[in-house]
Amino acid sequence: MVVLIALLLGVATLAIWLVLRNFSYWERRGIPHDPPQIPSGSLSGMMTTIHISDIFKRTYFKYKNKVSSPFVGFYVFFKRAVIVVDIDFVKTVLIKEFDKFHDRGVFHNERDDPLSGNLVNIEGQKWKSLRHKLTPTFTSGKMKHMFPTVLDVGEELVKIFNAKTSSEPQPLEITDLVSRYTADVIGSCAFGLECNSLHNPEAEFVKMGTVALTKRRHGRAMDLFLFGAPRLAAKFGIKATLQKVEDFYMKIVKDTVEYRTKNNVKRNDFMDMLIDLKKKYDEGNGEDGLSFNELAAQAFVFFLAGFETSSTTMGFALHELAINQDIQSRLKKEIDEVLAKNNGEFNYESMHEMKYLEKVIDETLRKHPVVGHLIREATQRYVHRDNPDYYIEPGTGVIIPVRAIHHDPEFYPEPEKFIPERFDEEQVNQRPACTFLPFGDGPRNCIGLRFGRMQTTIGLAKLIHNFKFEVNPTLTSVPMKFKVENLLWSAEGGITLNVSKFARTYLFTMAVLILLLLGVVSLAVWWVHQQFNYWQRRGIPHDPPKIPAGNMVELMKTRHIADIFQRTYFKYKNKVDGPFVGFYFYFKRVALTVDINFVKTVLMKDFDKFHDRGIFHNERDDPLTCNLVGVEGQKWKSLRHKLTPTFTSGKMKHMFPTLLKVGDEMVQVFNSKITSDTQPLEITNLVARFTADVIGSCAFGLECNSLHNPEAEFVKMGNAAINERRHGRALDLFLFGAPKLAAKLRMKQLVQKVEDFYMNIIRDTVNYRVKNNVKRNDFMDMLIELKKKYDEGNKEEGLSFNELAAQAFVFFLAGYETSSTTMGFALHELALNQDIQNRLRNEIDEVLAKNNGEFSYDSMREMKYLEKIIDETLRKHPVVGHLIRLATQRYVHPDNPKYYIEPGTGVIIPVKAIHHDPEFYPEPEKFIPERFDEDQVKQRPACTFLPFGEGPRNCIGLRFGRMQTTIGLAKLIHNFKFEVNPTLTSVPMKFKVENILLSAEGGITLNVSKVIRK
């Protein structure tokens, strides 16, 4: 007995020592923290007087900006944790150093408690593998397949509300109704069941779901053990799921799987996709498949996660809309307009047009995040880079206080107000990363966020379209009260609102629309008058404009756009007291540069004021337009930084053999077409097929073979992208004049068949290379490496698939047309100037002879006269005849304050005019390669040679463009002689006035003969 008492005293003493030592951990470390209380640690009052999220929120605001560390200490009962108080450290945990914080550290026991072994709980490689298997289940394509199922349940929700309401306001408890809606949605998509809980509140499926969320298997002490020591609890065989819940859902899943498999039932839902994974497992492919228990666990957590979170969000949103009637009215107007535009049809595409609804949902999730905090567990030691005292040991919990961040006035001013406009694109872009976390962020974000948003959007759209929600003076809690005993954020006592059916007054609406139309017409007339008097009011020299073309009356009819700018340049250069003159590009006001020093100012010295082009791009709806040419601001800067390493001379050297191979193919094609001593050939098409094959290979990894097959679809689609327009002239002008508004209206520029073709090609190429680990040292390889970074969560340095596709597409368009046109112009000039052609051929022959006939990257760079010929071609015939920039800040000329440029004003740099200015290039119409001798180049001012632009936003691909042009011309001049055809060659050359780029009218036909060497 004495021994037992001594042993008991020893154990008690040890326990007390361990408890005291545990609760002094942060104090010993010198980390700021609130003094803990035994046994609750820092969670005193949790589930009794204060919600857990509000405890974290209180701690966040107490220490944020008051400590030098990115976190403070915290005790979750006996478990030590940190609470993040620095937004950059949130990004570190969730994204940048995800490898150190990839687990949640929550209980799961696959052996004894199979439903706990789901994607939310499991850890390490097991989680990574499962996430990889399930990710294809939640693509936008899969959501589109499930959309009709969700929509059917939405229709049932409307029927239930109709049955319970009239045209007079009727109080309804909302929470239960919308939770039955989400239960029926997920019951159908995850289990293939017609739960019918909307019509039967006592449906067992929903009752069991409620039990799973609210009832506990154990008492408080055991729950603390499961939380504090989850791995030890699992080793002891402890279970968390109630037995009746496990039995019920395991049986449902088993019966569903067996029935579908036996009867070959397909529903295009979540269960179908899980069954396909189970089939792989049953066939022995455990690596790519799922066991039955794994399948059941994912179906179960899909139900729990989507049932509670989506329905609660819908309830919160309706509560906020009832309080904010102006927001509800605007939302209803949007929904009605979208449905009217789509002939009353609610489809997947029309759902995505409801942008204000998306913002309402986002603001609801911000103000009332159902999951008020995120938890991670350190799996490796983390040491803060600025202060080594702030380290986190493995096993320490990391709490990210989502609700606190969402209510931080630094990121969301007046956080208690409901303001959907916080999620306007420009406001979102101004906030740091990881300030909006309803679905988490990084590789372990919520995999089902697309589905959750879809069912919430459909439910709210259906309700707001058909019903009006108002506050009930006695039954609606304002402000809302919340259940402190729940871990998830939910309303105390539910949400009761007054609901009434809409009586639509179409005649009134029509009258309002007519009045509105008259107002719009009057406003438009006034605006046009103001717009076309802008330069006159300013006293800036300009040509009088004509409505609606401004100064572009002849555009695409009798004069090329570059020649219109050239005429204006020479009319005003040296005749005005400022560096630019006014110009009207239809309704858009622009400043046309007439002073070479101001060109340098715009492109280089004051680049920070003129860094955008102001052209249309719409990343969301027209993904291929969101390329380096079109994007703006920080997005452009980031993208340029990512892509710059792709175009180094070292990378060009890697691609050189690919280009050389296509150059040899071109020589073969020319040889096959020359059947006599001298043969007239249309050059433009042949060299265009050469550049198409080059870029098709380097940017898409395709053997396009268009040199041998003029009808190759790749080239046909390229021509369609350049020459075909999606809209008529009026809408094209709107895209040009108001690109941001056009993007907000979800307009697209590219022809749909072009987008579909190139997106499919790029997707297939990427998938094939990744799957088969194919490396070609080309542009696509480099883009894929950037995509891998993005897929691993490094969005800052990576590219999404759409961004990758956009860069590959613009690389093709930019390199295909410009390089081939330049080659055609050069051959035309060489045919006219036989002495220059002969000198060039001698240089090429000598360089090749010096290198034993080998055409290498280094020998190419020895062809200095060829470089001058290309430069002189680009000077005389710049394919891009003007550059355009957009003022992003106010610019005031230092010598004459009258010459200022307001933000939003375009700036045109007339490249062709500058290239033909005799002040810089005497006798500009003559073809003189010696203009690019080093001494002559140095004598000219900066920015007098602009075929690739200049400054930070010059053409990123200029090395590649020059390389393919050099190879093509060297191969042709080495093997063939080009001469003017007396009847078929246009001398002087005529240009297509209808094209924006400079190109030859009717192509370029020359006599071509093989070079005979003795």
PDB file of all heavy atoms in Angstrom, residues 522-539:
ATOM      1  N   SER A 522     -29.609  61.390 -74.862  1.00  0.00           N
ATOM      2  CA  SER A 522     -29.236  62.794 -74.594  1.00  0.00           C
ATOM      3  C   SER A 522     -27.828  62.888 -74.032  1.00  0.00           C
ATOM      4  O   SER A 522     -27.030  63.746 -74.439  1.00  0.00           O
ATOM      5  CB  SER A 522     -30.227  63.416 -73.606  1.00  0.00           C
ATOM      6  OG  SER A 522     -31.531  63.379 -74.117  1.00  0.00           O
ATOM      7  N   LEU A 523     -27.535  61.998 -73.114  1.00  0.00           N
ATOM      8  CA  LEU A 523     -26.201  61.988 -72.512  1.00  0.00           C
ATOM      9  C   LEU A 523     -25.137  61.667 -73.559  1.00  0.00           C
ATOM     10  O   LEU A 523     -24.052  62.271 -73.564  1.00  0.00           O
ATOM     11  CB  LEU A 523     -26.157  60.956 -71.380  1.00  0.00           C
ATOM     12  CG  LEU A 523     -24.832  60.841 -70.620  1.00  0.00           C
ATOM     13  CD1 LEU A 523     -24.514  62.149 -69.889  1.00  0.00           C
ATOM     14  CD2 LEU A 523     -24.889  59.683 -69.612  1.00  0.00           C
ATOM     15  N   ALA A 524     -25.460  60.738 -74.479  1.00  0.00           N
ATOM     16  CA  ALA A 524     -24.501  60.347 -75.514  1.00  0.00           C
ATOM     17  C   ALA A 524     -24.191  61.513 -76.447  1.00  0.00           C
ATOM     18  O   ALA A 524     -23.030  61.738 -76.821  1.00  0.00           O
ATOM     19  CB  ALA A 524     -25.047  59.162 -76.311  1.00  0.00           C
ATOM     20  N   VAL A 525     -25.232  62.279 -76.822  1.00  0.00           N
ATOM     21  CA  VAL A 525     -25.027  63.439 -77.702  1.00  0.00           C
ATOM     22  C   VAL A 525     -24.113  64.464 -77.025  1.00  0.00           C
ATOM     23  O   VAL A 525     -23.180  64.978 -77.633  1.00  0.00           O
ATOM     24  CB  VAL A 525     -26.380  64.081 -78.071  1.00  0.00           C
ATOM     25  CG1 VAL A 525     -26.168  65.416 -78.789  1.00  0.00           C
ATOM     26  CG2 VAL A 525     -27.193  63.132 -78.947  1.00  0.00           C
ATOM     27  N   TRP A 526     -24.381  64.710 -75.737  1.00  0.00           N
ATOM     28  CA  TRP A 526     -23.539  65.662 -74.987  1.00  0.00           C
ATOM     29  C   TRP A 526     -22.107  65.152 -74.882  1.00  0.00           C
ATOM     30  O   TRP A 526     -21.148  65.904 -75.064  1.00  0.00           O
ATOM     31  CB  TRP A 526     -24.142  65.872 -73.586  1.00  0.00           C
ATOM     32  CG  TRP A 526     -23.278  66.722 -72.705  1.00  0.00           C
ATOM     33  CD1 TRP A 526     -23.233  68.077 -72.646  1.00  0.00           C
ATOM     34  CD2 TRP A 526     -22.305  66.245 -71.760  1.00  0.00           C
ATOM     35  NE1 TRP A 526     -22.296  68.488 -71.725  1.00  0.00           N
ATOM     36  CE2 TRP A 526     -21.696  67.392 -71.162  1.00  0.00           C
ATOM     37  CE3 TRP A 526     -21.874  64.976 -71.369  1.00  0.00           C
ATOM     38  CZ2 TRP A 526     -20.711  67.292 -70.200  1.00  0.00           C
ATOM     39  CZ3 TRP A 526     -20.887  64.873 -70.400  1.00  0.00           C
ATOM     40  CH2 TRP A 526     -20.319  66.022 -69.824  1.00  0.00           C
ATOM     41  N   TRP A 527     -21.972  63.868 -74.614  1.00  0.00           N
ATOM     42  CA  TRP A 527     -20.634  63.287 -74.441  1.00  0.00           C
ATOM     43  C   TRP A 527     -19.823  63.364 -75.733  1.00  0.00           C
ATOM     44  O   TRP A 527     -18.628  63.689 -75.706  1.00  0.00           O
ATOM     45  CB  TRP A 527     -20.768  61.831 -73.989  1.00  0.00           C
ATOM     46  CG  TRP A 527     -19.457  61.150 -73.771  1.00  0.00           C
ATOM     47  CD1 TRP A 527     -18.668  61.182 -72.671  1.00  0.00           C
ATOM     48  CD2 TRP A 527     -18.768  60.318 -74.719  1.00  0.00           C
ATOM     49  NE1 TRP A 527     -17.528  60.444 -72.858  1.00  0.00           N
ATOM     50  CE2 TRP A 527     -17.558  59.901 -74.111  1.00  0.00           C
ATOM     51  CE3 TRP A 527     -19.043  59.888 -76.026  1.00  0.00           C
ATOM     52  CZ2 TRP A 527     -16.646  59.074 -74.753  1.00  0.00           C
ATOM     53  CZ3 TRP A 527     -18.136  59.069 -76.674  1.00  0.00           C
ATOM     54  CH2 TRP A 527     -16.953  58.671 -76.033  1.00  0.00           C
ATOM     55  N   VAL A 528     -20.473  63.070 -76.872  1.00  0.00           N
ATOM     56  CA  VAL A 528     -19.770  63.131 -78.163  1.00  0.00           C
ATOM     57  C   VAL A 528     -19.274  64.548 -78.417  1.00  0.00           C
ATOM     58  O   VAL A 528     -18.126  64.758 -78.844  1.00  0.00           O
ATOM     59  CB  VAL A 528     -20.686  62.642 -79.303  1.00  0.00           C
ATOM     60  CG1 VAL A 528     -20.087  62.980 -80.670  1.00  0.00           C
ATOM     61  CG2 VAL A 528     -20.930  61.142 -79.190  1.00  0.00           C
ATOM     62  N   HIS A 529     -20.137  65.521 -78.144  1.00  0.00           N
ATOM     63  CA  HIS A 529     -19.744  66.918 -78.353  1.00  0.00           C
ATOM     64  C   HIS A 529     -18.540  67.274 -77.463  1.00  0.00           C
ATOM     65  O   HIS A 529     -17.572  67.910 -77.917  1.00  0.00           O
ATOM     66  CB  HIS A 529     -20.927  67.837 -78.043  1.00  0.00           C
ATOM     67  CG  HIS A 529     -20.624  69.293 -78.260  1.00  0.00           C
ATOM     68  ND1 HIS A 529     -20.187  70.119 -77.243  1.00  0.00           N
ATOM     69  CD2 HIS A 529     -20.669  70.061 -79.383  1.00  0.00           C
ATOM     70  CE1 HIS A 529     -19.975  71.328 -77.710  1.00  0.00           C
ATOM     71  NE2 HIS A 529     -20.279  71.342 -79.021  1.00  0.00           N
ATOM     72  N   GLN A 530     -18.600  66.870 -76.198  1.00  0.00           N
ATOM     73  CA  GLN A 530     -17.501  67.150 -75.286  1.00  0.00           C
ATOM     74  C   GLN A 530     -16.215  66.452 -75.729  1.00  0.00           C
ATOM     75  O   GLN A 530     -15.126  67.035 -75.685  1.00  0.00           O
ATOM     76  CB  GLN A 530     -17.862  66.671 -73.862  1.00  0.00           C
ATOM     77  CG  GLN A 530     -18.860  67.547 -73.142  1.00  0.00           C
ATOM     78  CD  GLN A 530     -18.272  68.908 -72.805  1.00  0.00           C
ATOM     79  OE1 GLN A 530     -18.581  69.913 -73.474  1.00  0.00           O
ATOM     80  NE2 GLN A 530     -17.423  68.964 -71.811  1.00  0.00           N
ATOM     81  N   GLN A 531     -16.375  65.213 -76.166  1.00  0.00           N
ATOM     82  CA  GLN A 531     -15.199  64.424 -76.542  1.00  0.00           C
ATOM     83  C   GLN A 531     -14.467  65.045 -77.723  1.00  0.00           C
ATOM     84  O   GLN A 531     -13.242  65.173 -77.708  1.00  0.00           O
ATOM     85  CB  GLN A 531     -15.646  62.992 -76.886  1.00  0.00           C
ATOM     86  CG  GLN A 531     -14.527  61.995 -77.031  1.00  0.00           C
ATOM     87  CD  GLN A 531     -13.887  61.608 -75.707  1.00  0.00           C
ATOM     88  OE1 GLN A 531     -14.336  62.035 -74.649  1.00  0.00           O
ATOM     89  NE2 GLN A 531     -12.832  60.829 -75.771  1.00  0.00           N
ATOM     90  N   PHE A 532     -15.203  65.447 -78.757  1.00  0.00           N
ATOM     91  CA  PHE A 532     -14.579  65.960 -79.972  1.00  0.00           C
ATOM     92  C   PHE A 532     -14.177  67.431 -79.878  1.00  0.00           C
ATOM     93  O   PHE A 532     -13.703  68.019 -80.848  1.00  0.00           O
ATOM     94  CB  PHE A 532     -15.499  65.734 -81.185  1.00  0.00           C
ATOM     95  CG  PHE A 532     -15.456  64.325 -81.711  1.00  0.00           C
ATOM     96  CD1 PHE A 532     -16.625  63.617 -81.976  1.00  0.00           C
ATOM     97  CD2 PHE A 532     -14.247  63.695 -81.931  1.00  0.00           C
ATOM     98  CE1 PHE A 532     -16.580  62.323 -82.457  1.00  0.00           C
ATOM     99  CE2 PHE A 532     -14.189  62.394 -82.414  1.00  0.00           C
ATOM    100  CZ  PHE A 532     -15.367  61.701 -82.670  1.00  0.00           C
ATOM    101  N   ASN A 533     -14.385  68.042 -78.715  1.00  0.00           N
ATOM    102  CA  ASN A 533     -13.896  69.400 -78.488  1.00  0.00           C
ATOM    103  C   ASN A 533     -12.741  69.435 -77.496  1.00  0.00           C
ATOM    104  O   ASN A 533     -12.297  70.516 -77.095  1.00  0.00           O
ATOM    105  CB  ASN A 533     -15.037  70.291 -77.964  1.00  0.00           C
ATOM    106  CG  ASN A 533     -15.909  70.810 -79.091  1.00  0.00           C
ATOM    107  OD1 ASN A 533     -15.527  71.720 -79.807  1.00  0.00           O
ATOM    108  ND2 ASN A 533     -17.068  70.205 -79.258  1.00  0.00           N
ATOM    109  N   TYR A 534     -12.285  68.252 -77.101  1.00  0.00           N
ATOM    110  CA  TYR A 534     -11.293  68.177 -76.025  1.00  0.00           C
ATOM    111  C   TYR A 534     -10.023  68.952 -76.363  1.00  0.00           C
ATOM    112  O   TYR A 534      -9.582  69.815 -75.594  1.00  0.00           O
ATOM    113  CB  TYR A 534     -10.958  66.713 -75.740  1.00  0.00           C
ATOM    114  CG  TYR A 534      -9.886  66.524 -74.701  1.00  0.00           C
ATOM    115  CD1 TYR A 534     -10.173  66.660 -73.351  1.00  0.00           C
ATOM    116  CD2 TYR A 534      -8.572  66.218 -75.058  1.00  0.00           C
ATOM    117  CE1 TYR A 534      -9.191  66.504 -72.376  1.00  0.00           C
ATOM    118  CE2 TYR A 534      -7.577  66.055 -74.104  1.00  0.00           C
ATOM    119  CZ  TYR A 534      -7.890  66.193 -72.764  1.00  0.00           C
ATOM    120  OH  TYR A 534      -6.916  66.032 -71.813  1.00  0.00           O
ATOM    121  N   TRP A 535      -9.394  68.639 -77.516  1.00  0.00           N
ATOM    122  CA  TRP A 535      -8.121  69.302 -77.845  1.00  0.00           C
ATOM    123  C   TRP A 535      -8.314  70.792 -78.139  1.00  0.00           C
ATOM    124  O   TRP A 535      -7.452  71.620 -77.816  1.00  0.00           O
ATOM    125  CB  TRP A 535      -7.453  68.606 -79.024  1.00  0.00           C
ATOM    126  CG  TRP A 535      -7.031  67.191 -78.739  1.00  0.00           C
ATOM    127  CD1 TRP A 535      -7.456  66.054 -79.345  1.00  0.00           C
ATOM    128  CD2 TRP A 535      -6.078  66.771 -77.748  1.00  0.00           C
ATOM    129  NE1 TRP A 535      -6.851  64.950 -78.795  1.00  0.00           N
ATOM    130  CE2 TRP A 535      -5.986  65.352 -77.812  1.00  0.00           C
ATOM    131  CE3 TRP A 535      -5.293  67.437 -76.808  1.00  0.00           C
ATOM    132  CZ2 TRP A 535      -5.155  64.620 -76.989  1.00  0.00           C
ATOM    133  CZ3 TRP A 535      -4.454  66.700 -75.976  1.00  0.00           C
ATOM    134  CH2 TRP A 535      -4.396  65.304 -76.066  1.00  0.00           C
ATOM    135  N   GLN A 536      -9.476  71.138 -78.691  1.00  0.00           N
ATOM    136  CA  GLN A 536      -9.758  72.559 -78.953  1.00  0.00           C
ATOM    137  C   GLN A 536      -9.857  73.324 -77.634  1.00  0.00           C
ATOM    138  O   GLN A 536      -9.312  74.429 -77.497  1.00  0.00           O
ATOM    139  CB  GLN A 536     -11.053  72.688 -79.761  1.00  0.00           C
ATOM    140  CG  GLN A 536     -11.347  74.120 -80.188  1.00  0.00           C
ATOM    141  CD  GLN A 536     -12.597  74.207 -81.056  1.00  0.00           C
ATOM    142  OE1 GLN A 536     -13.187  73.200 -81.401  1.00  0.00           O
ATOM    143  NE2 GLN A 536     -12.993  75.414 -81.400  1.00  0.00           N
ATOM    144  N   ARG A 537     -10.561  72.739 -76.653  1.00  0.00           N
ATOM    145  CA  ARG A 537     -10.674  73.397 -75.348  1.00  0.00           C
ATOM    146  C   ARG A 537      -9.305  73.561 -74.699  1.00  0.00           C
ATOM    147  O   ARG A 537      -9.051  74.536 -73.987  1.00  0.00           O
ATOM    148  CB  ARG A 537     -11.585  72.579 -74.417  1.00  0.00           C
ATOM    149  CG  ARG A 537     -13.033  72.518 -74.832  1.00  0.00           C
ATOM    150  CD  ARG A 537     -13.944  72.052 -73.689  1.00  0.00           C
ATOM    151  NE  ARG A 537     -13.514  70.822 -73.067  1.00  0.00           N
ATOM    152  CZ  ARG A 537     -13.834  69.612 -73.493  1.00  0.00           C
ATOM    153  NH1 ARG A 537     -14.586  69.485 -74.587  1.00  0.00           N
ATOM    154  NH2 ARG A 537     -13.417  68.544 -72.859  1.00  0.00           N
ATOM    155  N   ARG A 538      -8.418  72.618 -74.960  1.00  0.00           N
ATOM    156  CA  ARG A 538      -7.075  72.651 -74.373  1.00  0.00           C
ATOM    157  C   ARG A 538      -6.125  73.598 -75.111  1.00  0.00           C
ATOM    158  O   ARG A 538      -5.053  73.931 -74.597  1.00  0.00           O
ATOM    159  CB  ARG A 538      -6.470  71.235 -74.398  1.00  0.00           C
ATOM    160  CG  ARG A 538      -7.093  70.210 -73.465  1.00  0.00           C
ATOM    161  CD  ARG A 538      -6.350  70.160 -72.151  1.00  0.00           C
ATOM    162  NE  ARG A 538      -4.920  70.032 -72.353  1.00  0.00           N
ATOM    163  CZ  ARG A 538      -4.268  68.876 -72.493  1.00  0.00           C
ATOM    164  NH1 ARG A 538      -4.942  67.733 -72.402  1.00  0.00           N
ATOM    165  NH2 ARG A 538      -2.969  68.854 -72.655  1.00  0.00           N
ATOM    166  N   GLY A 539      -6.496  73.981 -76.360  1.00  0.00           N
ATOM    167  CA  GLY A 539      -5.605  74.811 -77.163  1.00  0.00           C
ATOM    168  C   GLY A 539      -4.419  74.045 -77.726  1.00  0.00           C
ATOM    169  O   GLY A 539      -3.366  74.631 -77.990  1.00  0.00           O
TER     170      GLY A 539
END
